[in-house]
Amino acid sequence: MTFVTDMLATVSRRSRELIGWKPAELQPRRAADVVALARALLSRRGEASGTALARDILDGYATLDAEQRVAVLRDFAEVFGADRAKLEAAITAYQADPTPAAAASLHAAAEPRRQELIRRLNLAPRGTAALVRMRDDLLAALPAHADLKVLDDDLVHLFSSWFNRGFLVVKRIDWSTPANILEKIIRYEAVHEIRDWDDLRRRLEPEDRRCYAFFHPRLDDEPLIFVEVALTAEIPAAIGPLIAEGGTPLAADDARVAVFYSISNCQTGLAGISFGSLLIKQVVEELKRELPKLTTFVTLSPVPGFAKWLAKERRTETGFLLEEERDLLNALDEPDWRADRARVTKVDRLLARCAARYFLTAKTTGNRPLDPVARFHLGNGARLERINAGADLSEAGLAQSHGVMVNYLYDLGRIEENHEAYAERREIVASPPVRKLAEARA
Amino acid sequence: MTFVTDMLATVSRRSRELIGWKPAELQPRRAADVVALARALLSRRGEASGTALARDILDGYATLDAEQRVAVLRDFAEVFGADRAKLEAAITAYQADPTPAAAASLHAAAEPRRQELIRRLNLAPRGTAALVRMRDDLLAALPAHADLKVLDDDLVHLFSSWFNRGFLVVKRIDWSTPANILEKIIRYEAVHEIRDWDDLRRRLEPEDRRCYAFFHPRLDDEPLIFVEVALTAEIPAAIGPLIAEGGTPLAADDARVAVFYSISNCQTGLAGISFGSLLIKQVVEELKRELPKLTTFVTLSPVPGFAKWLAKERRTETGFLLEEERDLLNALDEPDWRADRARVTKVDRLLARCAARYFLTAKTTGNRPLDPVARFHLGNGARLERINAGADLSEAGLAQSHGVMVNYLYDLGRIEENHEAYAERREIVASPPVRKLAEARA
Amino acid sequence: MTFVTDMLATVSRRSRELIGWKPAELQPRRAADVVALARALLSRRGEASGTALARDILDGYATLDAEQRVAVLRDFAEVFGADRAKLEAAITAYQADPTPAAAASLHAAAEPRRQELIRRLNLAPRGTAALVRMRDDLLAALPAHADLKVLDDDLVHLFSSWFNRGFLVVKRIDWSTPANILEKIIRYEAVHEIRDWDDLRRRLEPEDRRCYAFFHPRLDDEPLIFVEVALTAEIPAAIGPLIAEGGTPLAADDARVAVFYSISNCQTGLAGISFGSLLIKQVVEELKRELPKLTTFVTLSPVPGFAKWLAKERRTETGFLLEEERDLLNALDEPDWRADRARVTKVDRLLARCAARYFLTAKTTGNRPLDPVARFHLGNGARLERINAGADLSEAGLAQSHGVMVNYLYDLGRIEENHEAYAERREIVASPPVRKLAEARA
Amino acid sequence: MTFVTDMLATVSRRSRELIGWKPAELQPRRAADVVALARALLSRRGEASGTALARDILDGYATLDAEQRVAVLRDFAEVFGADRAKLEAAITAYQADPTPAAAASLHAAAEPRRQELIRRLNLAPRGTAALVRMRDDLLAALPAHADLKVLDDDLVHLFSSWFNRGFLVVKRIDWSTPANILEKIIRYEAVHEIRDWDDLRRRLEPEDRRCYAFFHPRLDDEPLIFVEVALTAEIPAAIGPLIAEGGTPLAADDARVAVFYSISNCQTGLAGISFGSLLIKQVVEELKRELPKLTTFVTLSPVPGFAKWLAKERRTETGFLLEEERDLLNALDEPDWRADRARVTKVDRLLARCAARYFLTAKTTGNRPLDPVARFHLGNGARLERINAGADLSEAGLAQSHGVMVNYLYDLGRIEENHEAYAERREIVASPPVRKLAEARA
């Protein structure tokens, strides 16, 4: 150990020399120091000190406060673009003789030096994790600093390569999983909060529960994304019973349906690097292998954009809602509207119809479904299978979707076809009942 | 399992549809089919069938004969360059307003579509291994087909990212290592042949022997590079005793020197993606931790270019060799010149002097040492420590270097400094005795 | 799985046939059924159905209520003794010709059939765990049923063989240990309660904390015993600071002392099968290997019998306590006696002296120390190193020992010598200060 | 490490002191020394030095030559019997009042001290392995030294407890198994020799080959027994094709039959401690799980006693052989009798009939089948399924059984029934064709 420490101490001294630190200073204290070190890291022809310099930069960055970090990131974005002289020479050469080799040289000349910087930073011990955290900072600052966009693109480009799905490993999470990983499952669960270790155990230990996560070899003990699964006899129409305390678990052998009721990303720094689709497919295969009697793989998913969209529709007199429907929906404005059971039945029936229409007609400017969860699952090749009104009576559920949840069906024989219909023809793949519902009149 | 098989069968059918195969044909049989599939893989907006298509392409490629493979590779190089129209538009845009974002767009537009193709192929199960074998084919064809160079550059660019040292795992190889890995050690040993399992065991089992290899998580059971180590009391001057049968092993606790006597790359498809330097440093650290009494880390290395260089010097009358030296070296032309022990002493002394001069003065056009092994170790920050004449009396050793071998010293406190001297000032870092030897006169 | 289930179902049918169950009955319901099955298990010459029968017996036993279980155990004790006729024949044969072989035959004939029964029950899946639980029941019933003693002896005899220390595996418990094991650590901690998962983490995660447990290969995921360790700079004189929340952990490298502050047995069914001594020695070796700078290995132990003993001494006018000492100790009868700081100092000084005397003079009828914790550590070869008054101010600590705790020192070079002094000469090995304290006068 | 070494050195000194060695002597050199140490080990009340003493005894024993070892073993057998005085007192007590407790005391008093000695020796590091080797020596000496029988009984008694099947772990052996284990498979294969690593690989790597072994947690890396399996389409009638080089392996999915063609015990010191039956059952279950299409589990087994039995029958004029059969069998006396193909057909037909009769009628004095392999498989509940003449044309095969081999069928639904028929009624369970063959006349 001392040996390693000595080597590191040596190199840190070198880092300090490189940018003119005084011996007494052990940590970079200013954004400018970090940028100066980054410049040194890029300038050195060799690699012998690269790893140590990279570590010094990332450690130095970590000691900075939020404002200084943004300053560093903006400097990275600005300072380490492509070398303009080289780029222009490459353009000239390409225009003179547009061979494949000239195009390749142009590509190389146009590569922002940021990418090489990121690659070199990645060589530091735990460098990948530090870069993921750095992107976390960047995403927070991006709305206010559009100039960071180019750096974000570089990070996304390289993360896509490093988090290539071939490197991801799916592992089952259960009650015999190490505690340091389980505490992250508690922390990262984003859909249906896990209150404590007992609540966690209820999601993992019963024989009708499963949980799977993706891991990456360079991010030890850090799940990237995880999915919670309930095994049931029928496609479930509500979330409450699935996550309630108590009750007798279903014998795994009696299960016919696997319900993906919660999918949580763990690393905000990896936003936009998608592996959710792959995880679902791998888990489906894993479950089929273990429990051949399973026939149906569905989600029980929230509908985050529905209430907002419906509010707008209710205000639009020329919309699809009839006058009496509009009246009925006024119930939603009452704080405790679900107390009147008779009316609830009617309202829920109408909400289901509205939701069907929401999925099939509400689109983004890019002609995609407005609902982000729908975009995710339809993009993965799932089919919108069933709409369940009164499915999520939690405060959040009522607020975002008046209690509506939906099932997306993963039929592996149809995934590709569905995906193509969606990706190439912007088609919303929905079951006949959903389709009929969307067309129904009161 | 049947489930997976069905899904794959389905997708293969799709692949066949995509390029108009007849149902009865289960394998692509022509280079053109493979290229057509690659085109389909790149053209599809979505990814649902990507993994299966990628697998079909790689499997199809593997069924082709050598000539057809070269045809595929040349097509890849030619067909999947950057999109010229897009590239030219990006040039125009950049020239109009050379912002960082415009440079980034230009970089994206200049990226050969080959890179995206390779990335998508990598998604196939065992895709990375198949791509490494593909580069193996490419390197064999490259001398005759310069147009493949652009494709090679793309592979090197992506391999450098995927085989990033952060992903590499060092593992000790010993007699309890799985047999399927050990057989690869036997097969890949490139410096001092391992004859059979008994010979292998002699290199692994005694307590004064160590072996370490690098592995990559996506290339299961495939060592990338390995190093064999002998623990000794002194820096060794000859290879024979190190790899001889029999003899009592040194107690590990009595060892003071670790000798790296064989470093073998295992994957020709990864030529030029360097991890040798890193392996040595990690092994040094590992050994220091395990055996704190070790003080010295050296190689015992061949000198592959020496005999050829010396032959030329002997023909050069105006060179550094004196007349009587030239006469003495005529001994080398006799088949059994080492039989005359008295003369051998004189010749070996002269050979050592010549070798010192070879290392310090013989340079490539790029002002690097002519000797490739020297380039590797000096580039890693080692120092040329000692020249040993009569060190390798095997047929190969006599042929390539008249029996001369050398020790390179890895002094971790000096590695960076040495590396810099070499990388930036082209300095040959050598010990004072070697330096003195090079200047000595008869 | 179905295959296994079928096989098991078949055998259960056989079990039912063997003792005349009706087909509809799936579980034995009476103690007599279980005993009848046990008789069948012992009577069958073969083993083919043995495993399944054994499982049926243990499962059947588990379904019984407490009273029925005791009935089963008493039947086992009574019914499955040695075969009297055989035994008497063996006695006669031995008396006629007392050869070693005749003695061996006598030994075999005298073996209670209970032992063979237990060995066969152990063949059931999870049989060992079920037998350990059965002994748990037995120990609870033993005080009221002296006839169970012979069965207990048999279990102890066989457990001693099966839990032979050669089979035990020591594992470090830390924050990356599976949760199903950690929850058992929380449950079994017997000395200083672990309140919840956060409290557990404070005992495992800081770098100055360690925890080790023994496991047995047939009792998966079930710790047998564990020890909690704190690394400190000095021998600690009080438990409070060791288990308090917050505080900066000591760097492991700065530690010189390892403190065993809690040792908990997990399986009451293994009471009397001692492995605590072995665990401490193995942990000492483990720690020495990892942290060579550790020089001192001590416990911080409770003194459970002290308060009771002292109460008696205080009532004994002719004892060693002087009149004024007796008066001073009256403070202990006040509920909040530690509030008066000045007096506390005096009382604590006196308590330390009394404790020293307690350890060195209070003996069982077998001339062992009265204190059970002292018996454990002195029996392991430790030395009574230091007495710490005011060391445990918890309610329990004040109740059992007026706050006194002690350090036992494990000096591996002296362990054997100490052990011998204790085991063979009944000597209480104590440090000179403790010895002096015991002899001191006020 | 030094710490441990020091501790051990100390204890060894103690061992030497205990029996009066001079300091310079580091190893016991005489049988008497070992026995003296054993006496010390048993006499010490405590255990602190037990482990070290046990190690010294086992190490000392290992340094002795064969003759001295036998002397030690005979001393163990003689010296460490039951304490006669105690035994006689226990007899008297039992006769006075024959309670269960008195019987238990008698049992304890009759236990030979050898058993306690063996238990204490087992505490040494690697003690179990050393004791297994010790029994190896004992078994070799037993025929000449009947007085060792009592010691053997003690070892068997304790080994049966320690190698309790609950402790055994089945592991698949394949080409990714560590080399140090594979070399033991090569060494221990007792039925069909494995010539070298290539031959081994042919038995492990093809997808229609399996190999499983039992391991014990205290005998690391030492297989206890292993079985080699071939997956086939039909029940095989000859061994040659199964172990031949080359040939295309059957797809595992097309296999219907699993053939156990070689079962080898690895530890002669465990002779008589049976786990073969258990291994076969576990492997059947494992294979069923992995390959549900397997329907038939058979052996292809040698018939070691057949040729010898037949020779005797041929000499018995009043036996079951007819005159012309006797004449035909004279062919067997010709060195190359299988050259005459026409006659071979007739001879083989007759041999099959003779073999059927051999299995069904040739019995030991205990009314068991004469054939030891038959005893093993019938005892496990298998059925003699088919007789294959001309099945093993190797020299050994012709010598022991004139080429005859048989299949035993493991039908898990029948195992128990078959076992009972065999174990309780001495019935030879055979298929109808074998039964008919035995009754057939020429």
Side-chain angles (χ1 to χ4, degrees), chain D residues 190-297:
Chain D
V191 186
H192 305 290
E193 189 205 4
I194 300 176
R195 285 184 307 279
D196 55 23
W197 288 83
D198 288 335
D199 194 13
L200 176 66
R201 189 216 289 240
R202 272 194 300 279
R203 311 247 185 136
L204 301 180
E205 214 183 28
E207 62 169 323
D208 59 355
R209 289 296 181 272
R210 295 289 187 282
C211 180
Y212 297 88
F214 263 144
F215 291 84
H216 186 274
R218 274 212 84 188
L219 290 183
D220 262 4
D221 302 339
E222 273 291 344
L224 304 185
I225 185 173
F226 63 90
V227 58
E228 294 167 73
V229 184
L231 306 177
T232 60
E234 307 283 344
I235 297 181
I239 187 67
L242 281 191
I243 60 174
E245 281 187 44
T248 314
L250 186 71
D253 199 55
D254 293 340
R256 295 296 173 272
V257 181
V259 186
F260 300 77
Y261 68 92
S262 180
I263 302 174
S264 301
N265 280 292
C266 306
Q267 310 294 331
T268 53
L270 291 176
I273 317 296
S274 158
F275 8 72
S277 139
L278 182 67
L279 178 63
I280 293 177
K281 275 183 228 157
Q282 289 206 2
V283 169
V284 168
E285 294 180 12
E286 188 80 20
L287 286 167
K288 278 233 153 195
R289 220 177 343 258
E290 189 197 337
L291 301 168
K293 293 183 182 168
L294 289 178
T295 58
T296 308
F297 298 86

Side-chain angles (χ1 to χ4, degrees), chain B residues 53 122 135 215 241 255 427 441:
Chain B
L53 251 175
N122 191 36
R135 180 153 182 259
F215 291 84
E427 203 176 290
R441 282 289 68 198

Side-chain angles (χ1 to χ4, degrees), chain B residues 211-406:
Chain B
C211 180
Y212 297 88
F214 263 145
F215 291 84
H216 186 274
R218 272 212 83 189
L219 290 183
D220 261 3
D221 303 339
E222 274 291 343
L224 304 184
I225 185 172
F226 63 90
V227 59
E228 293 167 73
V229 185
L231 306 178
T232 61
E234 307 283 342
I235 296 180
I239 188 66
L242 279 192
I243 60 174
E245 280 187 45
T248 313
L250 187 70
D253 199 55
D254 293 339
R256 295 296 173 273
V257 181
V259 185
F260 300 78
Y261 68 92
S262 180
I263 303 174
S264 301
N265 279 292
C266 306
Q267 311 293 330
T268 53
L270 292 175
I273 317 296
S274 159
F275 10 69
S277 140
L278 182 67
L279 178 63
I280 292 176
K281 274 184 228 157
Q282 288 206 3
V283 169
V284 168
E285 293 181 13
E286 188 80 20
L287 286 168
K288 277 235 156 196
R289 217 177 345 256
E290 189 198 337
L291 300 167
K293 294 182 180 168
L294 290 177
T295 57
T296 308
F297 298 85
V298 295
T299 73
L300 182 59
S301 301
V303 191
F306 177 54
K308 200 173 157 197
W309 171 84
L310 186 63
K312 209 167 134 200
E313 283 300 318
R314 286 169 59 199
R315 289 193 303 272
T316 311
E317 305 227 344
T318 58
F320 77 99
L321 285 171
L322 302 183
E323 188 64 29
E324 64 265 30
E325 291 174 342
R326 213 181 303 270
D327 287 348
L328 184 53
L329 289 176
N330 285 338
L332 300 176
D333 303 333
E334 299 169 20
D336 199 22
W337 64 273
R338 293 195 73 84
D340 177 346
R341 299 298 305 149
R343 191 180 57 181
V344 156
T345 308
K346 284 196 227 158
V347 175
D348 275 354
R349 211 176 313 134
L350 177 54
L351 282 172
R353 243 186 18 250
C354 295
R357 184 164 278 264
Y358 164 69
F359 281 107
L360 289 167
T361 67
K363 298 289 173 74
T364 65
T365 51
N367 200 25
R368 302 268 174 195
L370 201 58
D371 194 79
V373 175
R375 288 201 298 273
F376 175 76
H377 289 297
L378 297 175
N380 291 341
R383 172 169 98 162
L384 178 59
E385 189 63 11
R386 199 171 76 187
I387 289 170
N388 306 291
D392 180 2
L393 305 181
S394 71
E395 204 170 326
L398 290 171
Q400 74 180 359
S401 65
H402 305 303
V404 174
M405 298 186 83
V406 297

Side-chain angles (χ1 to χ4, degrees), chain C residues 210 227-232 234-236 239 242 257-262 287 296-301 407:
Chain C
R210 295 289 187 282
V227 59
E228 294 168 74
V229 185
L231 306 177
T232 60
E234 306 284 343
I235 296 181
I239 187 66
L242 281 191
V257 181
V259 185
F260 300 79
Y261 67 91
S262 180
L287 286 167
T296 307
F297 299 86
V298 295
T299 72
L300 182 59
S301 302
N407 306 115

Side-chain angles (χ1 to χ4, degrees), chain B residues 107-162:
Chain B
H107 179 241
E111 186 183 279
R113 285 175 304 153
R114 291 181 298 268
Q115 292 196 10
E116 183 62 20
L117 175 62
I118 297 165
R119 278 193 289 261
R120 293 195 179 189
L121 290 175
N122 191 36
L123 301 181
R126 311 197 152 264
T128 308
L131 287 168
V132 170
R133 283 192 299 273
M134 187 182 277
R135 180 153 182 259
D136 213 347
D137 297 338
L138 189 155
L139 289 174
L142 193 52
H145 300 282
D147 54 345
L148 290 173
K149 178 70 169 57
V150 288
L151 179 58
D152 191 47
D153 289 346
D154 295 323
L155 283 165
V156 167
H157 179 76
L158 290 168
F159 285 177
S160 300
S161 187
W162 299 338

Side-chain angles (χ1 to χ4, degrees), chain B residues 174-183 187 197-198 201 205 221, chain D residues 174-183 187 197-198 201 205 221:
Chain B
D174 60 24
W175 191 236
S176 69
T177 296
N180 58 338
I181 292 174
L182 292 184
E183 69 173 343
R187 187 186 315 148
W197 287 84
D198 287 335
R201 190 214 288 241
E205 215 183 27
D221 303 339
Chain D
D174 60 23
W175 190 237
S176 70
T177 297
N180 59 340
I181 291 174
L182 292 184
E183 70 174 342
R187 188 187 312 150
W197 288 83
D198 288 335
R201 189 216 289 240
E205 214 183 28
D221 302 339

